[in-house]
Protein backbone atom coordinates (compact mmCIF):
# COMPACT_ATOMS: atom_id res chain seq x y z
CA UNK A 1 0.00 0.00 0.00
CA UNK A 2 2.85 2.41 0.81
CA UNK A 3 4.29 1.89 -2.69
CA UNK A 4 0.90 2.55 -4.28
CA UNK A 5 0.46 5.77 -2.27
CA UNK A 6 3.93 7.00 -3.23
CA UNK A 7 3.29 6.10 -6.86
CA UNK A 8 -0.01 8.03 -6.86
CA UNK A 9 1.69 11.12 -5.41
CA UNK A 10 4.49 10.96 -7.97
CA UNK A 11 2.01 10.51 -10.84
CA UNK A 12 -0.09 13.41 -9.58
CA UNK A 13 2.90 15.74 -9.35
CA UNK A 14 3.94 14.77 -12.90
CA UNK A 15 0.42 15.45 -14.11
CA UNK A 16 0.20 18.90 -12.53
CA UNK A 17 3.71 20.26 -12.41
CA UNK A 18 5.38 19.26 -15.64
CA UNK A 19 6.42 21.84 -18.20
CA UNK A 20 3.04 21.53 -19.85
CA UNK A 21 2.54 24.57 -22.14
CA UNK A 22 -1.05 24.81 -20.91
CA UNK A 23 0.26 25.74 -17.46
CA UNK A 24 2.02 28.80 -18.89
CA UNK A 25 -1.05 29.98 -20.77
CA UNK A 26 -3.16 30.30 -17.63
CA UNK A 27 -2.51 33.76 -16.26
CA UNK A 28 -2.35 34.42 -12.55
CA UNK A 29 -5.60 36.39 -12.84
CA UNK A 30 -7.31 33.49 -14.63
CA UNK A 31 -6.07 31.13 -11.95
CA UNK A 32 -7.39 33.33 -9.13
CA UNK A 33 -10.77 33.52 -10.85
CA UNK A 34 -10.80 29.75 -11.31
CA UNK A 35 -9.89 29.19 -7.65
CA UNK A 36 -12.80 31.38 -6.58
CA UNK A 37 -15.14 29.05 -8.47
CA UNK A 38 -13.94 25.91 -6.69
CA UNK A 39 -15.84 24.61 -3.72
CA UNK A 40 -14.32 25.73 -0.40
CA UNK A 41 -13.06 22.17 0.21
CA UNK A 42 -11.42 21.94 -3.22
CA UNK A 43 -9.88 25.40 -2.91
CA UNK A 44 -8.44 24.69 0.53
CA UNK A 45 -6.98 21.33 -0.45
CA UNK A 46 -5.64 22.73 -3.74
CA UNK A 47 -3.87 25.59 -1.98
CA UNK A 48 -2.28 23.22 0.54
CA UNK A 49 -1.11 20.91 -2.23
CA UNK A 50 -0.17 23.21 -5.10
CA UNK A 51 0.78 26.42 -3.34
CA UNK A 52 2.09 25.35 0.05
CA UNK A 53 3.69 22.10 -1.07
CA UNK A 54 2.05 19.66 1.32
CA UNK A 55 1.94 16.03 0.18
CA UNK A 56 -1.39 14.30 -0.19
CA UNK A 57 -0.58 12.21 2.85
CA UNK A 58 0.21 15.31 4.94
CA UNK A 59 -3.04 16.96 3.88
CA UNK A 60 -5.01 13.82 4.72
CA UNK A 61 -3.49 13.74 8.19
CA UNK A 62 -3.99 17.49 8.72
CA UNK A 63 -7.63 17.34 7.55
CA UNK A 64 -8.33 13.96 9.19
CA UNK A 65 -9.52 12.54 5.91
CA UNK A 66 -8.44 9.52 3.91
CA UNK A 67 -5.65 9.73 1.38
CA UNK A 68 -8.05 8.69 -1.38
CA UNK A 69 -10.48 11.45 -0.43
CA UNK A 70 -7.72 14.06 -0.68
CA UNK A 71 -6.44 12.56 -3.93
CA UNK A 72 -9.92 12.71 -5.47
CA UNK A 73 -10.39 16.30 -4.25
CA UNK A 74 -7.13 17.39 -5.90
CA UNK A 75 -8.04 15.64 -9.16
CA UNK A 76 -11.48 17.26 -9.18
CA UNK A 77 -10.00 20.68 -8.38
CA UNK A 78 -7.54 20.36 -11.26
CA UNK A 79 -10.32 19.35 -13.67
CA UNK A 80 -12.42 22.29 -12.55
CA UNK A 81 -9.51 24.72 -12.85
CA UNK A 82 -8.98 23.56 -16.43
CA UNK A 83 -12.71 23.85 -17.13
CA UNK A 84 -12.89 27.35 -15.62
CA UNK A 85 -9.87 28.50 -17.63
CA UNK A 86 -11.44 27.50 -20.94
CA UNK A 87 -9.99 24.03 -21.01
CA UNK A 88 -6.32 24.91 -20.76
Amino acid sequence: LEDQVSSLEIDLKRLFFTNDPRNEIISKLDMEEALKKLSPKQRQVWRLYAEEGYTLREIAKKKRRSFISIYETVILAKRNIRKFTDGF
Side-chain angles (χ1 to χ4, degrees):
L1 183 61
E2 285 292 315
D3 290 340
Q4 289 174 333
V5 168
S6 294
S7 177
L8 282 174
E9 286 188 337
I10 290 167
D11 290 345
L12 194 60
K13 287 202 184 287
R14 276 192 201 127
L15 176 65
F16 293 148
F17 300 109
T18 60
N19 290 329
D20 187 333
R22 293 176 295 184
N23 294 338
E24 295 174 21
I25 294 171
I26 301 171
S27 74
K28 187 169 181 134
L29 182 60
D30 289 340
M31 182 59 112
E32 283 303 317
E33 287 301 313
L35 290 174
K36 288 178 187 176
K37 294 178 183 178
L38 296 177
S39 72
K41 179 173 80 170
Q42 288 175 8
R43 186 171 43 254
Q44 187 176 47
V45 169
W46 179 258
R47 288 193 188 276
L48 288 170
Y49 182 74
E51 296 175 10
E52 296 183 32
Y54 283 85
T55 66
L56 298 177
R57 193 176 318 199
E58 290 169 335
I59 298 169
K61 185 175 181 179
K62 182 179 182 85
K63 294 292 182 188
R64 296 182 183 176
R65 293 177 37 210
S66 72
F67 171 84
I68 294 300
S69 173
I70 297 299
Y71 176 80
E72 289 172 348
T73 300
V74 170
I75 292 291
L76 189 56
K78 182 62 174 180
R79 283 184 191 149
N80 286 332
I81 289 168
R82 284 211 171 131
K83 181 174 73 174
F84 298 145
T85 55
D86 298 322
F88 287 107

